[in-house]
Amino acid sequence: MAQPFSLSPLPWDDNALEPFVSARTISFHYYKHHKAYVNTLNSLVEGTPYAAMKLEEIVHKTASDAAAKKIFNNAGQVWNHDFYWRSLSPKAAAPQRDLANAIERDFSSLAKLIEALAEAGKTQFGSAGPGWSRPAASSR
Ligand SMILES: [Fe+2]
């Protein structure tokens, strides 16, 4: 029987987000994490009614079902990775409409938001840490 879920292609080359996100990081999350979640989900749903459902339907139906926790975790991670890839772009674009208004309201400018994000990232476990600096705009 055909596998119901497949690894969606990346919307850009794996080095397209450098220098902000390395090809190594993309490869790790795409070819290891994402692929493993897809393969595990396919094996977990084989022969079950979940095999005929859309990914979002599986996430909704298993979210509060302790017996389906493995299916929920893997379906959720497939969805998360798909969403993450589609949320990133190698082409810089200014925030529009509601997002632009919210940034202006809460941070006063996009530059201030970027500063706040960089500062917050320095204290997150697994971040590049205090030695990190934003790559020059000309290298984008
Ligand atoms: Fe990942």
Side-chain angles (χ1 to χ4, degrees):
M1 182 176 167
Q3 304 280 296
F5 301 100
S6 60
L7 187 63
S8 305
L10 286 172
W12 19 255
D13 291 339
D14 59 3
N15 65 351
L17 303 177
E18 290 184 340
F20 301 102
V21 183
S22 71
R24 184 171 177 262
T25 297
I26 296 295
S27 291
F28 187 78
H29 286 273
Y30 182 71
Y31 295 106
K32 292 192 178 187
H33 291 180
H34 195 172
K35 185 177 180 185
Y37 290 127
V38 169
N39 291 341
T40 302
L41 179 62
N42 280 327
S43 68
L44 291 170
V45 301
E46 186 176 353
T48 75
Y50 295 116
M53 294 180 193
K54 291 187 180 222
L55 189 59
E56 291 80 1
E57 190 177 2
I58 293 175
V59 171
H60 284 283
K61 286 196 180 293
T62 58
S64 57
D65 181 355
K69 185 174 181 160
K70 281 186 180 179
I71 293 174
F72 172 77
N73 287 344
N74 282 276
Q77 287 299 332
V78 171
W79 192 94
N80 286 343
H81 281 78
D82 282 338
F83 177 76
Y84 183 67
W85 306 135
R86 291 190 318 269
S87 299
L88 300 172
S89 172
K91 295 179 182 160
Q96 302 291 313
R97 300 179 299 272
D98 292 349
L99 179 58
N101 292 337
I103 290 169
E104 179 69 23
R105 180 193 67 223
D106 295 345
F107 295 92
S108 79
S109 70
L110 180 59
K112 294 282 187 193
L113 168 62
I114 291 169
E115 272 180 45
L117 285 170
E119 195 59 34
K122 289 177 186 174
T123 61
Q124 294 300 310
F125 176 77
S127 75
W132 182 85
S133 63
R134 189 166 191 249
S138 61
S139 64
R140 280 189 264 170

